[in-house]
Amino acid sequence: QVQLVESGGGLVQPGGSLRLSCVASGFTFSDYGMTWVRQAPGKELEWVSTILWSDSTTYADSVKGRFVTSRDNAQNTLFLQMNSLKPEDTAVYYCANSYKILDVLDGRVPLGRGTQVTVSS
């Protein structure tokens, strides 16, 4: 059974940084592309970033140059380093074990419980 547990969220001032983690179990982590998505209050899920099994990464334009996705296959863990945070980054952040962005956004791929990120002064 796929299990994803996100952590690392919190309250941070604009311009600050946070590092999110997603610990995965129930599947062979190193074989899967992984995706970060987020959901702001009252809004739909938004794609943030995807990392393939090859460590190739892609980012939404809204976070490009500020966020970095990485993975540690030995620890079955996905990371999202978030720098230069803005109030518009406030959302619940989720990870998913798929590189198929539309499947993730359409709810065809299970998500973890998420971790809240709040950017506010």
Side-chain angles (χ1 to χ4, degrees):
Q1 182 180 358
V2 172
Q3 188 170 12
L4 302 166
V5 180
E6 301 92 341
S7 64
L11 173 63
V12 63
Q13 292 187 342
S17 298
L18 282 175
R19 189 192 197 203
L20 306 186
S21 300
C22 166
V23 177
S25 61
F27 62 101
T28 304
F29 181 76
S30 59
D31 289 347
Y32 279 72
M34 298 291 295
T35 291
W36 285 102
V37 294
R38 66 186 182 185
Q39 188 166 29
K43 296 189 176 181
E44 295 184 348
L45 276 177
E46 175 190 17
W47 172 66
V48 174
S49 176
T50 296
I51 184 168
L52 300 182
W53 44 90
S54 60
D55 283 348
S56 174
T57 53
T58 52
Y59 299 93
D61 287 345
S62 59
V63 306
K64 197 174 297 181
R66 301 187 297 121
F67 290 11
V68 178
T69 294
S70 61
R71 62 192 301 161
D72 182 340
N73 290 335
Q75 298 295 325
N76 288 353
T77 302
L78 175 72
F79 300 102
L80 182 66
Q81 177 67 44
M82 305 187 297
N83 302 318
S84 302
L85 283 162
K86 304 175 181 180
E88 51 263 44
D89 295 318
T90 295
V92 179
Y93 285 71
Y94 303 90
C95 61
N97 67 331
S98 177
Y99 65 95
K100 298 179 180 180
I101 299 169
L102 291 181
D103 284 355
V104 176
L105 296 179
D106 287 348
R108 290 192 287 270
V109 178
L111 305 177
R113 291 189 175 184
T115 185
Q116 174 71 49
V117 172
T118 303
V119 185
S120 175
S121 54

